[in-house]
Amino acid sequence: TLYPEVCETLDRLDQFPLAVVTNKPFEFTVAILEGFGLRERFTAVIGGDSLPERKPSPLMLHEAARRCNVPTSRALMIGDSRIDVAAGRNAGMATCGYTSGFRGRDELAAAGADYLIDHLGELVAIVGG
């Protein structure tokens, strides 16, 4: 199932190029996005088998920013684990930890996320959407 507020938040952020960057296999990720009718909302989808390195390496995030035509300094990495925060930091991106996701507030705070959100809708205030 989708996390709460996913579709509403994507609707509010539709003026921004968006990417999915995951260590899960590419084909699996695309199948999930297509199953929920979300694939077309993302400019880039990069799976763990798409490039030679995986998160926390910055390579995947640099490629996502390139495909979205956004400098890494103007990008925001949103994730739910310390690996996501580390990848964002390694890529020179601001980071946002989603505390209701995979790991929780303590791990994301300890990882040094720039922002912590409990609800996906809070992203709108962070990015100005």
Side-chain angles (χ1 to χ4, degrees):
T1 62
L2 289 175
Y3 286 132
E5 302 179 13
V6 167
C7 292
E8 298 86 354
T9 303
L10 290 173
D11 286 345
R12 305 245 345 250
L13 299 176
D14 69 347
Q15 72 271 31
F16 298 105
L18 304 173
V20 172
V21 176
T22 179
N23 283 342
K24 294 173 185 65
F26 174 78
E27 293 297 332
F28 177 71
T29 302
V30 169
I32 290 171
L33 292 171
E34 287 176 350
F36 285 114
L38 298 176
R39 173 59 188 99
E40 69 281 352
R41 293 182 180 249
F42 296 96
T43 302
V45 177
I46 300 173
D49 54 356
S50 297
L51 298 170
E53 298 176 13
R54 296 167 38 135
K55 297 181 295 181
S57 165
L59 184 64
M60 297 169 79
L61 294 178
H62 286 159
E63 179 61 15
R66 185 192 69 75
R67 291 184 193 181
C68 289
N69 199 32
V70 174
T72 55
S73 62
R74 303 237 337 124
L76 177 66
M77 170 57 169
I78 304 149
D80 61 359
S81 75
R82 65 180 171 74
I83 298 298
D84 295 327
V85 174
R89 290 198 171 285
N90 291 340
M93 295 180 176
T95 60
C96 178
Y98 177 58
T99 64
S100 298
F102 185 59
R103 293 292 189 175
R105 179 174 290 276
D106 292 342
E107 179 176 306
L108 296 165
D114 297 304
Y115 304 95
L116 294 173
I117 60 171
D118 298 319
H119 306 282
L120 289 173
E122 295 173 69
L123 284 172
V124 176
I126 292 171
V127 301

